[in-house]
Amino acid sequence: MINAVGRELPEKIGSYVVKPFLGTGLAKDDYGPVVSNRRPTLKPASGTKLVATLEDAIKASGLQDGMTISFHHCFREGDKIIGQVLTAIRNLGIKNLRFAPSAVVNVKNPSVVEFVKDGTISRIEASGIRGELGDAVINGDIELDEPVILRPHGARPRAIESGDLKIDVAFLGASAADEYGNATGQVGPNACGSMGYAFVDALNAAKVVIVTDNLVDYPCCPISISQQYVDFVVKVDEIGDPAKIGAGAARMTKNPRDLMIAQYTANAIAASRRFKDGFSFQTGAGAIPIAITNFLAEKMEEREIKASFALGGIPAAIIDMYEKGLVRVVACSQSFDAVAAKAIAANPGVIEIDNAVYSNIYAKGCMLDRLNFGVLGALEIDTDFNINILTGSSGEMMGGLGGGPDVADGADISVVTLPLVRGRTPSVVPKVFTLCTPGSSVAMVVTEAGIALNPAHKRYEELKEDLAAAGIKTVTIEYLCELARSIVGTPKPIETTDRVVAVVEYRDGTVIDVIRHLKR
Amino acid sequence: MINAVGRELPEKIGSYVVKPFLGTGLAKDDYGPVVSNRRPTLKPASGTKLVATLEDAIKASGLQDGMTISFHHCFREGDKIIGQVLTAIRNLGIKNLRFAPSAVVNVKNPSVVEFVKDGTISRIEASGIRGELGDAVINGDIELDEPVILRPHGARPRAIESGDLKIDVAFLGASAADEYGNATGQVGPNACGSMGYAFVDALNAAKVVIVTDNLVDYPCCPISISQQYVDFVVKVDEIGDPAKIGAGAARMTKNPRDLMIAQYTANAIAASRRFKDGFSFQTGAGAIPIAITNFLAEKMEEREIKASFALGGIPAAIIDMYEKGLVRVVACSQSFDAVAAKAIAANPGVIEIDNAVYSNIYAKGCMLDRLNFGVLGALEIDTDFNINILTGSSGEMMGGLGGGPDVADGADISVVTLPLVRGRTPSVVPKVFTLCTPGSSVAMVVTEAGIALNPAHKRYEELKEDLAAAGIKTVTIEYLCELARSIVGTPKPIETTDRVVAVVEYRDGTVIDVIRHLKR
């Protein structure tokens, strides 16, 4: 069958029944009351939930072959929890698990691939499987009976609360926790800041294990994850590498191309009628977003306007705006650096939010639906404004879905920023290799070679008018595509077999694309 | 049948099937995964959840005859929400509702009784129905087909999460809220402080309506109840009477009898080996508890010790201790006055907690299970240390169950404080009229005539030793009972019919006693 964005999909992959993507705004309230898998239990007879080792916690949790385990990815590339837990599970001989973290970051030593190869893991569901694991899946180095399910941040809470993804045991890392399970990422030597991706797991997993390297006196304060959701607590030597969890504030980029893209983006945003006192935005992390944030801050100071809120994964640049009085509330679903991680405990207006309220389409209205401006990165964009944020120029797994598809859909004005070409690879193409975010939800794309508005976007007329009034010239997406081609030529098409190895879900749980084995 | 505390119970009352109380510590994990009734919905097409009137919200919520509605009681005697909502429901002609607030406080103009009489309400479940409503039920002024179910604070989350109490529409008052449903009780002219009793409703009701008189810019900050759980927001003129919601800090009592009881209690607590650095306590509100709190603060300063946490309903006296550095964390399930209400937003160690984590026996371990000392009030205590906190000397409904039964069970040492006699009524009696808290969970009782230890309590030997070491003399409960009788004589027994009008549940959902019609 063919879905609403023209992708050909099988009806079933393994046991996964494909519901084709029907278009944005067509999501229906198609399941009944929220289904929690949480198992209420009585207080521990011992008076403590502390167990000596990860093996003890795993045994006590009742984890068995074929069950589902989850993790959050708030420690990012610095995570040392997933490796330790999977090793302990392997030591206990438990097999065929469904591995369902909020995202798989590129952790090594050990890599998740090893645990797939030895049969500990036989199914994978996450927002991304960037790096070694993704490459192994897409290259056929590992073979799974079921497709990997890739879900954007907003689709994971939906999957969990609808019962599609029932978690048996969640292993949640925390940089501070007490023996009764109250836990946070806001304090401690390995602070990650917001534990936004852990809440839906804590509320809905049958059993919850807190893994910390920093056991504090009862009660832990602040409390992000409440003891009422926690069964066991384990202290390990180290939950992460602080340098990789939260590096210092990113400096402003000096790359002229990135600065140009950022300046164009800030100019376009500032030209919008929605850029006024009380507006809201999400810019994200990375060189271009940080520069955009800084440029926007300058424009806000010039115009003497203040934002009502900044949202999402938060870097130091946004905390800086808060401290300057340019943003009233900073709602952090994730903290991208050490400055942002520490800012939550220190500032009443910098708040930790649950990923479900950040992005879940079925959450009675999530926060990103209230965004005026959402800035998105991309690996590729095509002439229909469809975005690829997963696969690179050779089809390799380069990114995760993250919240991009959600933000594009929720924000009044979604802006994709990317360089026209990367090395010998065009970024603006006739057709994206993997379709992650439907073009209809993308308002404009900004490159160093110009800004293109999407005529199919609901705010097209408004944006066109506002940009014209500000004297900002635009180009067509076809122009950008042709320009990219003229610079680097047409890349050799990526060849795949028919075997589907991953499905790309949209935020409503429908399938927007699939990923096939690469031909070798 | 006869339950474990010797009370005779019918097997069934209306459609309510009686599970007899089997004794403390016997609660079993007797239900499966948590059952939420929450209905995920999509963001409102209008972009706002604000509706013009309560009637509009009720209509939009889909409320129909026979459904269940809930409220929290954090505005206490100052509540103006229940009356307005019930009036709106009556105006819409919706009948036979199950009325299931966390507690019914004695609100008048209109009183809840009117809505029972006119058929708007036909079933009642709450922690207490003090005042006009309770009297009408117990006197037979109103007749209900089903018994009123009285649950202590810890039993209500259990009832909701087990599916025993499925809430269709929760009407949650908030002193500040934005148009998308983020709400708090911490700020605004009618601040109530902690909204502890609202969380379980917000998480589990099919539909949630926020009622506020203080609409703030999006996003409301702080956020107690998150927009992800809220369907509609209504602004009314006034949600409450500030003087009754949160009066100023209670002054220290000058009543010599109350001061004597408080001093004895503080002395006994200070004599315990558990009164040491890092201890925890709950003292509550009222003249005697406030005096106890102040006396304990003095003793802590003398001994240079600091408590790890204070818990429960919090008055200004505890905030005062926090400010003096005598308590590290103040965990507020409720705020008892204006000082305590404002303290949450102002102090990082004064935190709002969900009533479920405060008291729910099925919450994987609640906070009151970690208490060293819990101070309880009572209307009567008997020679088996059983406590009555519901009915007065003529059998009238005088109190609510509150968290007393929970605290007694959870705390290492539970202390009941009460005067030996009140007017012509003895407080220490051979047998309590209504049994709310089993004597086996009560460690000691303190009156102005002496302290009696409960030989059946698990900490009896320890307490006896500690009090003796401190030179504190004790008496027997029989001595206190006889002394009370010698002062005021033996009251005429309260006569009842056989008709059961209310059941008193214990924290595990079993029935510890029933309340029968009074003979007139």
Side-chain angles (χ1 to χ4, degrees), chain A residues 27 29 33-34 38 40 42 49 161 179 218 227-228 231 328 363-366 370, chain B residues 27 29 33-34 38 40 42 49 161 179 218 227-228 231 328 363-366 370:
Chain A
D29 182 355
V34 162
R38 187 164 93 242
L42 298 176
K49 298 178 184 174
E161 293 185 345
E179 61 160 10
Y218 183 92
Q227 65 177 50
Q228 68 179 305
D231 295 275
R328 183 168 59 83
K364 298 186 177 183
C366 57
R370 304 279 307 190
Chain B
D29 182 357
V34 163
R38 185 164 96 244
L42 297 177
K49 297 178 184 175
E161 293 184 346
E179 61 159 10
Y218 183 93
Q227 65 178 49
Q228 68 179 304
D231 295 275
R328 183 168 59 85
K364 300 187 176 181
C366 58
R370 302 280 306 191

mmCIF file of all heavy atoms in Angstrom, chain A residues 27 29 33-34 38 40 42 49 161 179 218 227-228 231 328 363-366 370, chain B residues 27 29 33-34 38 40 42 49 161 179 218 227-228 231 328 363-366 370:
data_model
loop_
_atom_site.group_PDB
_atom_site.id
_atom_site.type_symbol
_atom_site.label_atom_id
_atom_site.label_comp_id
_atom_site.label_asym_id
_atom_site.label_seq_id
_atom_site.Cartn_x
_atom_site.Cartn_y
_atom_site.Cartn_z
ATOM 1 N N ALA A 27 -4.976 12.540 12.995
ATOM 2 C CA ALA A 27 -4.886 11.591 14.106
ATOM 3 C C ALA A 27 -6.212 11.570 14.846
ATOM 4 O O ALA A 27 -6.816 12.601 15.092
ATOM 5 C CB ALA A 27 -3.771 12.018 15.039
ATOM 6 N N ASP A 29 -8.550 10.014 18.196
ATOM 7 C CA ASP A 29 -8.487 9.458 19.535
ATOM 8 C C ASP A 29 -8.953 8.013 19.410
ATOM 9 O O ASP A 29 -10.118 7.713 19.594
ATOM 10 C CB ASP A 29 -9.421 10.264 20.434
ATOM 11 C CG ASP A 29 -9.383 9.782 21.867
ATOM 12 O OD1 ASP A 29 -8.715 8.770 22.141
ATOM 13 O OD2 ASP A 29 -10.032 10.413 22.689
ATOM 14 N N PRO A 33 -9.359 4.355 27.469
ATOM 15 C CA PRO A 33 -8.622 4.963 28.568
ATOM 16 C C PRO A 33 -7.159 4.530 28.557
ATOM 17 O O PRO A 33 -6.817 3.476 28.020
ATOM 18 C CB PRO A 33 -9.325 4.406 29.814
ATOM 19 C CG PRO A 33 -10.648 3.943 29.351
ATOM 20 C CD PRO A 33 -10.480 3.529 27.926
ATOM 21 N N VAL A 34 -6.329 5.372 29.125
ATOM 22 C CA VAL A 34 -4.905 5.078 29.257
ATOM 23 C C VAL A 34 -4.717 3.714 29.920
ATOM 24 O O VAL A 34 -5.396 3.384 30.882
ATOM 25 C CB VAL A 34 -4.250 6.178 30.114
ATOM 26 C CG1 VAL A 34 -2.913 5.755 30.651
ATOM 27 C CG2 VAL A 34 -4.155 7.469 29.313
ATOM 28 N N ARG A 38 1.659 -0.318 35.345
ATOM 29 C CA ARG A 38 2.225 -0.191 36.686
ATOM 30 C C ARG A 38 1.566 -1.162 37.659
ATOM 31 O O ARG A 38 0.347 -1.274 37.698
ATOM 32 C CB ARG A 38 2.044 1.233 37.196
ATOM 33 C CG ARG A 38 2.757 1.494 38.498
ATOM 34 C CD ARG A 38 2.872 2.983 38.771
ATOM 35 N NE ARG A 38 1.814 3.529 39.577
ATOM 36 C CZ ARG A 38 0.954 4.458 39.185
ATOM 37 N NH1 ARG A 38 0.981 4.935 37.965
ATOM 38 N NH2 ARG A 38 0.039 4.922 39.994
ATOM 39 N N PRO A 40 0.973 -1.855 41.404
ATOM 40 C CA PRO A 40 1.108 -1.347 42.768
ATOM 41 C C PRO A 40 1.606 -2.461 43.673
ATOM 42 O O PRO A 40 1.205 -3.613 43.529
ATOM 43 C CB PRO A 40 -0.306 -0.928 43.129
ATOM 44 C CG PRO A 40 -1.189 -1.627 42.184
ATOM 45 C CD PRO A 40 -0.398 -1.951 40.960
ATOM 46 N N LEU A 42 3.173 -3.311 47.860
ATOM 47 C CA LEU A 42 3.252 -2.807 49.227
ATOM 48 C C LEU A 42 4.664 -2.337 49.524
ATOM 49 O O LEU A 42 5.602 -2.662 48.821
ATOM 50 C CB LEU A 42 2.844 -3.908 50.194
ATOM 51 C CG LEU A 42 1.401 -4.370 49.991
ATOM 52 C CD1 LEU A 42 1.096 -5.534 50.905
ATOM 53 C CD2 LEU A 42 0.440 -3.227 50.246
ATOM 54 N N LYS A 49 14.422 0.107 49.679
ATOM 55 C CA LYS A 49 14.329 -0.459 48.331
ATOM 56 C C LYS A 49 15.717 -0.709 47.752
ATOM 57 O O LYS A 49 15.855 -1.103 46.599
ATOM 58 C CB LYS A 49 13.551 0.494 47.423
ATOM 59 C CG LYS A 49 12.111 0.716 47.878
ATOM 60 C CD LYS A 49 11.389 1.701 46.974
ATOM 61 C CE LYS A 49 9.989 1.981 47.501
ATOM 62 N NZ LYS A 49 9.319 3.051 46.714
ATOM 63 N N GLU A 161 1.059 4.530 26.618
ATOM 64 C CA GLU A 161 -0.243 4.715 27.267
ATOM 65 C C GLU A 161 -1.382 3.992 26.546
ATOM 66 O O GLU A 161 -2.440 3.765 27.123
ATOM 67 C CB GLU A 161 -0.564 6.214 27.385
ATOM 68 C CG GLU A 161 0.390 6.927 28.342
ATOM 69 C CD GLU A 161 0.014 8.384 28.570
ATOM 70 O OE1 GLU A 161 -0.796 8.935 27.792
ATOM 71 O OE2 GLU A 161 0.542 8.975 29.531
ATOM 72 N N GLU A 179 17.270 5.915 49.201
ATOM 73 C CA GLU A 179 17.090 4.459 49.244
ATOM 74 C C GLU A 179 15.640 4.034 49.021
ATOM 75 O O GLU A 179 15.346 2.849 48.905
ATOM 76 C CB GLU A 179 17.577 3.907 50.587
ATOM 77 C CG GLU A 179 16.805 4.485 51.773
ATOM 78 C CD GLU A 179 16.905 3.622 53.047
ATOM 79 O OE1 GLU A 179 17.707 2.680 53.082
ATOM 80 O OE2 GLU A 179 16.142 3.920 53.985
ATOM 81 N N TYR A 218 17.459 10.345 52.751
ATOM 82 C CA TYR A 218 16.023 10.423 52.503
ATOM 83 C C TYR A 218 15.455 11.663 53.180
ATOM 84 O O TYR A 218 15.784 11.911 54.321
ATOM 85 C CB TYR A 218 15.327 9.186 53.081
ATOM 86 C CG TYR A 218 13.847 9.148 52.794
ATOM 87 C CD1 TYR A 218 13.345 8.499 51.671
ATOM 88 C CD2 TYR A 218 12.941 9.785 53.641
ATOM 89 C CE1 TYR A 218 11.994 8.487 51.392
ATOM 90 C CE2 TYR A 218 11.583 9.779 53.363
ATOM 91 C CZ TYR A 218 11.123 9.125 52.241
ATOM 92 O OH TYR A 218 9.781 9.121 51.960
ATOM 93 N N GLN A 227 9.105 8.298 44.679
ATOM 94 C CA GLN A 227 9.216 6.940 45.233
ATOM 95 C C GLN A 227 7.983 6.089 44.962
ATOM 96 O O GLN A 227 8.065 4.866 44.941
ATOM 97 C CB GLN A 227 9.433 7.033 46.739
ATOM 98 C CG GLN A 227 8.241 7.629 47.492
ATOM 99 C CD GLN A 227 8.444 7.653 49.004
ATOM 100 O OE1 GLN A 227 9.464 8.109 49.487
ATOM 101 N NE2 GLN A 227 7.472 7.177 49.752
ATOM 102 N N GLN A 228 6.840 6.732 44.783
ATOM 103 C CA GLN A 228 5.613 5.956 44.602
ATOM 104 C C GLN A 228 5.622 5.127 43.324
ATOM 105 O O GLN A 228 4.782 4.248 43.152
ATOM 106 C CB GLN A 228 4.378 6.843 44.652
ATOM 107 C CG GLN A 228 4.209 7.802 43.493
ATOM 108 C CD GLN A 228 2.925 8.626 43.633
ATOM 109 O OE1 GLN A 228 1.845 8.089 43.772
ATOM 110 N NE2 GLN A 228 3.065 9.936 43.588
ATOM 111 N N ASP A 231 10.414 0.652 42.509
ATOM 112 C CA ASP A 231 10.463 -0.606 43.249
ATOM 113 C C ASP A 231 11.821 -0.866 43.889
ATOM 114 O O ASP A 231 11.895 -1.346 45.013
ATOM 115 C CB ASP A 231 10.123 -1.766 42.305
ATOM 116 C CG ASP A 231 8.691 -1.672 41.811
ATOM 117 O OD1 ASP A 231 7.794 -2.139 42.508
ATOM 118 O OD2 ASP A 231 8.473 -1.079 40.734
ATOM 119 N N ARG A 328 10.209 34.161 30.142
ATOM 120 C CA ARG A 328 9.599 34.011 31.463
ATOM 121 C C ARG A 328 9.707 32.588 31.985
ATOM 122 O O ARG A 328 10.003 32.375 33.149
ATOM 123 C CB ARG A 328 8.118 34.445 31.395
ATOM 124 C CG ARG A 328 7.416 34.396 32.753
ATOM 125 C CD ARG A 328 6.066 35.104 32.730
ATOM 126 N NE ARG A 328 5.141 34.536 31.757
ATOM 127 C CZ ARG A 328 4.387 33.458 31.978
ATOM 128 N NH1 ARG A 328 4.422 32.832 33.132
ATOM 129 N NH2 ARG A 328 3.567 33.006 31.038
ATOM 130 N N ALA A 363 -1.993 13.794 24.623
ATOM 131 C CA ALA A 363 -1.887 14.224 26.021
ATOM 132 C C ALA A 363 -2.842 15.359 26.352
ATOM 133 O O ALA A 363 -2.548 16.179 27.192
ATOM 134 C CB ALA A 363 -0.453 14.623 26.329
ATOM 135 N N LYS A 364 -3.995 15.407 25.736
ATOM 136 C CA LYS A 364 -4.951 16.498 25.963
ATOM 137 C C LYS A 364 -4.328 17.861 25.617
ATOM 138 O O LYS A 364 -4.642 18.864 26.233
ATOM 139 C CB LYS A 364 -5.466 16.489 27.411
ATOM 140 C CG LYS A 364 -6.225 15.211 27.800
ATOM 141 C CD LYS A 364 -6.846 15.291 29.196
ATOM 142 C CE LYS A 364 -7.654 14.016 29.498
ATOM 143 N NZ LYS A 364 -8.325 14.057 30.802
ATOM 144 N N GLY A 365 -3.409 17.846 24.667
ATOM 145 C CA GLY A 365 -2.753 19.099 24.264
ATOM 146 C C GLY A 365 -1.370 19.206 24.865
ATOM 147 O O GLY A 365 -1.229 19.400 26.063
ATOM 148 N N CYS A 366 -0.330 19.079 24.042
ATOM 149 C CA CYS A 366 1.033 19.142 24.584
ATOM 150 C C CYS A 366 1.604 20.538 24.387
ATOM 151 O O CYS A 366 1.030 21.375 23.702
ATOM 152 C CB CYS A 366 1.907 18.075 23.938
ATOM 153 S SG CYS A 366 1.997 18.170 22.154
ATOM 154 N N ARG A 370 1.771 24.692 21.419
ATOM 155 C CA ARG A 370 1.643 26.118 21.744
ATOM 156 C C ARG A 370 2.820 26.947 21.224
ATOM 157 O O ARG A 370 2.932 28.129 21.543
ATOM 158 C CB ARG A 370 1.563 26.296 23.267
ATOM 159 C CG ARG A 370 0.458 25.527 23.953
ATOM 160 C CD ARG A 370 -0.875 26.202 23.877
ATOM 161 N NE ARG A 370 -0.829 27.561 24.350
ATOM 162 C CZ ARG A 370 -1.907 28.314 24.564
ATOM 163 N NH1 ARG A 370 -3.115 27.811 24.356
ATOM 164 N NH2 ARG A 370 -1.808 29.553 24.975
ATOM 165 N N ALA B 27 -2.575 -6.272 54.460
ATOM 166 C CA ALA B 27 -3.007 -5.850 53.135
ATOM 167 C C ALA B 27 -2.201 -6.601 52.080
ATOM 168 O O ALA B 27 -1.001 -6.770 52.204
ATOM 169 C CB ALA B 27 -2.794 -4.358 52.975
ATOM 170 N N ASP B 29 -1.314 -7.248 47.824
ATOM 171 C CA ASP B 29 -1.333 -6.662 46.493
ATOM 172 C C ASP B 29 -2.418 -7.392 45.718
ATOM 173 O O ASP B 29 -2.151 -8.339 45.003
ATOM 174 C CB ASP B 29 0.040 -6.866 45.864
ATOM 175 C CG ASP B 29 0.130 -6.255 44.489
ATOM 176 O OD1 ASP B 29 -0.878 -5.731 43.991
ATOM 177 O OD2 ASP B 29 1.200 -6.316 43.909
ATOM 178 N N PRO B 33 -2.520 -4.429 37.371
ATOM 179 C CA PRO B 33 -1.940 -3.131 37.052
ATOM 180 C C PRO B 33 -2.931 -2.003 37.353
ATOM 181 O O PRO B 33 -4.140 -2.208 37.359
ATOM 182 C CB PRO B 33 -1.692 -3.223 35.545
ATOM 183 C CG PRO B 33 -1.671 -4.663 35.226
ATOM 184 C CD PRO B 33 -2.584 -5.318 36.209
ATOM 185 N N VAL B 34 -2.381 -0.843 37.608
ATOM 186 C CA VAL B 34 -3.182 0.361 37.835
ATOM 187 C C VAL B 34 -4.176 0.550 36.691
ATOM 188 O O VAL B 34 -3.822 0.393 35.529
ATOM 189 C CB VAL B 34 -2.235 1.582 37.927
ATOM 190 C CG1 VAL B 34 -2.981 2.883 37.744
ATOM 191 C CG2 VAL B 34 -1.488 1.546 39.256
ATOM 192 N N ARG B 38 -8.385 7.727 32.566
ATOM 193 C CA ARG B 38 -8.047 8.907 31.765
ATOM 194 C C ARG B 38 -8.245 8.624 30.287
ATOM 195 O O ARG B 38 -7.819 7.608 29.763
ATOM 196 C CB ARG B 38 -6.600 9.321 32.032
ATOM 197 C CG ARG B 38 -6.211 10.599 31.326
ATOM 198 C CD ARG B 38 -4.927 11.182 31.908
ATOM 199 N NE ARG B 38 -3.736 10.820 31.176
ATOM 200 C CZ ARG B 38 -2.738 10.083 31.648
ATOM 201 N NH1 ARG B 38 -2.780 9.583 32.862
ATOM 202 N NH2 ARG B 38 -1.671 9.821 30.922
ATOM 203 N N PRO B 40 -7.302 9.876 26.743
ATOM 204 C CA PRO B 40 -6.471 10.796 25.973
ATOM 205 C C PRO B 40 -7.282 11.431 24.863
ATOM 206 O O PRO B 40 -8.127 10.777 24.255
ATOM 207 C CB PRO B 40 -5.388 9.890 25.403
ATOM 208 C CG PRO B 40 -5.922 8.513 25.477
ATOM 209 C CD PRO B 40 -6.936 8.475 26.567
ATOM 210 N N LEU B 42 -7.221 14.685 21.697
ATOM 211 C CA LEU B 42 -6.357 15.538 20.898
ATOM 212 C C LEU B 42 -6.451 16.971 21.374
ATOM 213 O O LEU B 42 -7.363 17.342 22.102
ATOM 214 C CB LEU B 42 -6.757 15.450 19.431
ATOM 215 C CG LEU B 42 -6.595 14.048 18.846
ATOM 216 C CD1 LEU B 42 -7.086 14.022 17.422
ATOM 217 C CD2 LEU B 42 -5.135 13.620 18.915
ATOM 218 N N LYS B 49 -8.468 25.724 25.850
ATOM 219 C CA LYS B 49 -9.363 24.840 26.592
ATOM 220 C C LYS B 49 -10.356 25.652 27.415
ATOM 221 O O LYS B 49 -11.137 25.096 28.180
ATOM 222 C CB LYS B 49 -8.546 23.938 27.516
ATOM 223 C CG LYS B 49 -7.603 23.011 26.774
ATOM 224 C CD LYS B 49 -6.781 22.177 27.735
ATOM 225 C CE LYS B 49 -5.775 21.335 26.963
ATOM 226 N NZ LYS B 49 -4.876 20.591 27.880
ATOM 227 N N GLU B 161 -7.088 3.889 41.702
ATOM 228 C CA GLU B 161 -6.152 3.168 40.834
ATOM 229 C C GLU B 161 -6.528 1.700 40.646
ATOM 230 O O GLU B 161 -6.062 1.046 39.712
ATOM 231 C CB GLU B 161 -4.724 3.283 41.383
ATOM 232 C CG GLU B 161 -4.196 4.713 41.303
ATOM 233 C CD GLU B 161 -2.749 4.839 41.745
ATOM 234 O OE1 GLU B 161 -2.220 3.900 42.360
ATOM 235 O OE2 GLU B 161 -2.151 5.896 41.469
ATOM 236 N N GLU B 179 -4.979 29.119 30.146
ATOM 237 C CA GLU B 179 -6.098 28.671 29.308
ATOM 238 C C GLU B 179 -5.913 27.260 28.772
ATOM 239 O O GLU B 179 -6.826 26.693 28.184
ATOM 240 C CB GLU B 179 -6.305 29.634 28.138
ATOM 241 C CG GLU B 179 -5.083 29.717 27.222
ATOM 242 C CD GLU B 179 -5.415 30.243 25.825
ATOM 243 O OE1 GLU B 179 -6.532 30.722 25.613
ATOM 244 O OE2 GLU B 179 -4.519 30.166 24.957
ATOM 245 N N TYR B 218 -0.107 32.016 29.630
ATOM 246 C CA TYR B 218 0.475 30.709 29.364
ATOM 247 C C TYR B 218 1.980 30.851 29.269
ATOM 248 O O TYR B 218 2.451 31.751 28.589
ATOM 249 C CB TYR B 218 -0.072 30.150 28.051
ATOM 250 C CG TYR B 218 0.426 28.770 27.741
ATOM 251 C CD1 TYR B 218 -0.303 27.655 28.133
ATOM 252 C CD2 TYR B 218 1.646 28.572 27.093
ATOM 253 C CE1 TYR B 218 0.161 26.377 27.877
ATOM 254 C CE2 TYR B 218 2.117 27.300 26.836
ATOM 255 C CZ TYR B 218 1.372 26.205 27.229
ATOM 256 O OH TYR B 218 1.831 24.932 26.988
ATOM 257 N N GLN B 227 -1.094 20.521 32.080
ATOM 258 C CA GLN B 227 -2.082 20.586 31.001
ATOM 259 C C GLN B 227 -2.352 19.243 30.365
ATOM 260 O O GLN B 227 -3.419 19.025 29.799
ATOM 261 C CB GLN B 227 -1.584 21.554 29.925
ATOM 262 C CG GLN B 227 -0.315 21.074 29.218
ATOM 263 C CD GLN B 227 0.141 22.024 28.116
ATOM 264 O OE1 GLN B 227 0.227 23.211 28.327
ATOM 265 N NE2 GLN B 227 0.418 21.484 26.944
ATOM 266 N N GLN B 228 -1.395 18.325 30.433
ATOM 267 C CA GLN B 228 -1.585 17.039 29.759
ATOM 268 C C GLN B 228 -2.733 16.240 30.357
ATOM 269 O O GLN B 228 -3.173 15.254 29.773
ATOM 270 C CB GLN B 228 -0.301 16.225 29.745
ATOM 271 C CG GLN B 228 0.167 15.724 31.084
ATOM 272 C CD GLN B 228 1.456 14.899 30.951
ATOM 273 O OE1 GLN B 228 1.510 13.945 30.219
ATOM 274 N NE2 GLN B 228 2.475 15.302 31.665
ATOM 275 N N ASP B 231 -8.795 18.864 30.391
ATOM 276 C CA ASP B 231 -9.613 19.010 29.187
ATOM 277 C C ASP B 231 -10.175 20.414 29.017
ATOM 278 O O ASP B 231 -10.221 20.928 27.897
ATOM 279 C CB ASP B 231 -10.768 18.005 29.234
ATOM 280 C CG ASP B 231 -10.253 16.583 29.179
ATOM 281 O OD1 ASP B 231 -10.022 16.083 28.074
ATOM 282 O OD2 ASP B 231 -10.043 15.975 30.258
ATOM 283 N N ARG B 328 15.028 19.710 57.009
ATOM 284 C CA ARG B 328 15.627 19.820 55.674
ATOM 285 C C ARG B 328 14.589 19.869 54.573
ATOM 286 O O ARG B 328 14.693 20.650 53.634
ATOM 287 C CB ARG B 328 16.600 18.641 55.441
ATOM 288 C CG ARG B 328 17.328 18.708 54.095
ATOM 289 C CD ARG B 328 18.489 17.723 53.997
ATOM 290 N NE ARG B 328 18.056 16.345 54.168
ATOM 291 C CZ ARG B 328 17.568 15.570 53.195
ATOM 292 N NH1 ARG B 328 17.452 16.045 51.970
ATOM 293 N NH2 ARG B 328 17.202 14.324 53.443
ATOM 294 N N ALA B 363 1.261 2.334 46.901
ATOM 295 C CA ALA B 363 2.056 3.219 46.049
ATOM 296 C C ALA B 363 3.527 2.820 46.020
ATOM 297 O O ALA B 363 4.386 3.665 45.875
ATOM 298 C CB ALA B 363 1.915 4.662 46.504
ATOM 299 N N LYS B 364 3.852 1.553 46.121
ATOM 300 C CA LYS B 364 5.245 1.103 46.164
ATOM 301 C C LYS B 364 5.994 1.743 47.350
ATOM 302 O O LYS B 364 7.191 1.990 47.260
ATOM 303 C CB LYS B 364 5.972 1.413 44.832
ATOM 304 C CG LYS B 364 5.344 0.734 43.624
ATOM 305 C CD LYS B 364 6.167 0.897 42.356
ATOM 306 C CE LYS B 364 5.552 0.106 41.195
ATOM 307 N NZ LYS B 364 6.318 0.202 39.946
ATOM 308 N N GLY B 365 5.259 2.037 48.408
ATOM 309 C CA GLY B 365 5.886 2.652 49.586
ATOM 310 C C GLY B 365 5.614 4.135 49.646
ATOM 311 O O GLY B 365 6.148 4.897 48.850
ATOM 312 N N CYS B 366 4.756 4.566 50.589
ATOM 313 C CA CYS B 366 4.428 5.987 50.666
ATOM 314 C C CYS B 366 5.290 6.678 51.720
ATOM 315 O O CYS B 366 6.003 6.035 52.478
ATOM 316 C CB CYS B 366 2.943 6.165 50.935
ATOM 317 S SG CYS B 366 2.360 5.386 52.437
ATOM 318 N N ARG B 370 7.663 6.228 56.224
ATOM 319 C CA ARG B 370 9.020 6.573 56.639
ATOM 320 C C ARG B 370 9.033 7.482 57.873
ATOM 321 O O ARG B 370 10.088 7.993 58.252
ATOM 322 C CB ARG B 370 9.727 7.320 55.495
ATOM 323 C CG ARG B 370 9.811 6.576 54.188
ATOM 324 C CD ARG B 370 10.896 5.568 54.126
ATOM 325 N NE ARG B 370 12.193 6.135 54.457
ATOM 326 C CZ ARG B 370 13.342 5.501 54.274
ATOM 327 N NH1 ARG B 370 13.351 4.286 53.748
ATOM 328 N NH2 ARG B 370 14.488 6.059 54.616
#
